Amino acid sequence: MNNQQETVRLTLRSVSQLPDRRQFLHWAATGAIMIALGGCAYEVAPEVDQRRAENEKLPDGTTRLPPGQHLIRALKPMGGEEGDPSPSGFRLKVHGEVKTELELTFADLLALPQTEQTCDVHCVTKWSVFDSRWTGVRLAELAERAGVKSTAKHVVFEAAHGYTANVRLEEALRPTVLIAHRLNGEPLAPANGPPARSLVPHLYFWKSAKWITGIRFQAADEPGYWETRGYHNHADPWKEERYG
Ligand SMILES: Nc1nc2c(c(=O)[nH]1)N[C@H]1C(S)=C(S)[C@@H](COP(=O)(O)O)O[C@H]1N2
Ligand SMILES: [Mo]
């Protein structure tokens, strides 16, 4: 447990918690429409943005919007069996192929170096959201603190009620993979898996486990909740790896 004490001493990088007013005003001006579907209200991007998104290219030349996806304004609540949203009840176990097992409280998580990043997310049900702003701790940071063994090749995110999602270790260690606790400057809303979830923006969104309880490093791959129910083991949106 001396690892935990060590984490508390780290300085918390200051992050902006102001809502993005400019973006909000831009959306209002471009006339985003609210549509009710399945009891949930969410915003659909105006047609002009969809066309612009389809033409936009990433630095590597691929399209910013993956094939078969359409742009919406905000994360659509996709459900799932809710865990305990309270920060006081939060425990994050970092275990498996590690030299030092960790168990972090929410305060421990906040005491680690914080990353703020703006990225796109892509759900296999074909919606994408551009420029969502997340705050959290890099998985690579936790991996380093736990001392991941060279035998580890895969990561399994563990969440409330047995939900799991597997990601290849080399991909999980990308700087964009976070244990996130804020979205667009606010603590995660009830639907988005508070108090913290994983965020793997380059894979379909089911790999981003809400109400996270553990990060397990493994030598062998272990297909997770959706991967054992017909979904693709890898889930690259640009390759349309939807079904296994
Ligand atoms: N614990 C947990 N995490 C989960 C899920 C779930 O059912 N339980 N669903 C996944 C799926 S299929 C998607 S698309 C995203 C949806 O996240 P959102 O509801 O915040 O949009 O969460 C993922 N993480
Ligand atoms: Mo999903």
Side-chain angles (χ1 to χ4, degrees), residues 3 9 18 27 43 47 55 59 74 97 142 181 200 207 230 237:
N3 267 293
R9 273 188 266 114
L18 292 169
W27 291 349
E43 293 173 278
E47 179 65 15
N55 290 325
E97 297 288 305
L142 296 167
H181 53 85
V200 187
K207 297 286 189 182

Side-chain angles (χ1 to χ4, degrees), residues 1 4 89-98 100-106 108-109 139 142-143 146 155-159 179 196 211-217:
M1 293 307 110
Q4 265 177 264
F90 180 80
R91 294 292 181 280
L92 181 68
K93 208 170 155 187
V94 183
H95 61 131
E97 297 288 305
V98 295
T100 315
E101 219 173 79
L102 309 175
E103 195 179 64
L104 306 180
T105 64
F106 197 66
D108 293 335
L109 190 74
L139 185 132
L142 296 167
V155 170
V156 175
F157 293 115
E158 302 170 318
I179 302 304
W211 307 287
I212 194 163
T213 58
I215 303 167
R216 177 159 32 95
F217 293 90

Side-chain angles (χ1 to χ4, degrees), residues 169-212:
L169 178 65
E170 60 176 59
E171 293 191 30
L173 294 178
R174 289 189 191 181
T176 51
V177 175
L178 306 183
I179 302 304
H181 53 85
R182 294 183 85 88
L183 170 59
N184 298 325
E186 302 288 341
L188 294 182
N192 303 130
R197 73 183 299 170
S198 61
L199 173 68
V200 187
H202 72 279
L203 297 176
Y204 282 125
F205 208 28
W206 84 74
K207 297 286 189 182
S208 298
K210 305 190 275 192
W211 307 287
I212 194 163

Side-chain angles (χ1 to χ4, degrees), residues 74-83 121-125 127 134 158-165 183 188-193 197-198 204-212 225-226 231:
L75 298 196
K76 202 166 144 183
M78 299 302 286
E81 227 182 313
E82 288 184 24
V121 298
H122 312 288
C123 176
V124 72
T125 63
W127 57 261
W134 301 85
E158 302 170 318
H161 310 289
Y163 185 90
T164 54
L183 170 59
L188 294 182
N192 303 130
R197 73 183 299 170
S198 61
Y204 282 125
F205 208 28
W206 84 74
K207 297 286 189 182
S208 298
K210 305 190 275 192
W211 307 287
I212 194 163
Y225 182 87
W226 287 116
Y231 285 86

